[in-house]
Amino acid sequence: EGSYAESDFQEGSKFRFLNPDNDGVWGEIVTMIPNEKMYLLHKGEVQKGEEQPQTYGDDAIENYDLVENNGKTELTATMNAPEDYIQYFTSTFPVALEKVKEIAEKK
């Protein structure tokens, strides 16, 4: 609750996903095709608003693909997180995706 993103959401741009305490992650938007796909590479952490040095490898990804199927849009999310964060994302990522579903179905 209260998390937010900072980015212009253009391919090649930086992003920051932060919580209300300004803690979170930063990285790069690798691929951005509006209404089709967004692929993110997480590079490091943000602590109290300060980006920490790059600490994640090239496999810390968060990818989203949208495909129309029989008049409905299907979202596929793929995530690969560092071992230390798997338990965190296992519990929080489904909640976030449920919120995306809720917002999408209101329209």
Side-chain angles (χ1 to χ4, degrees), residues 30-78:
V30 177
T31 302
M32 173 59 90
I33 302 173
N35 302 312
E36 195 173 314
K37 61 181 66 186
M38 179 170 67
Y39 294 174
L40 309 172
L41 175 62
H42 291 251
K43 293 190 173 186
E45 296 181 14
V46 177
Q47 296 175 355
K48 303 295 180 209
E50 296 294 322
E51 291 176 13
Q52 304 305 301
Q54 183 170 340
T55 54
Y56 305 146
D58 289 339
D59 58 347
I61 61 161
E62 185 176 348
N63 295 345
Y64 299 92
D65 291 284
L66 295 171
V67 176
E68 186 176 337
N69 188 1
N70 294 323
K72 293 186 176 183
T73 302
E74 295 179 356
L75 168 65
T76 302
T78 306

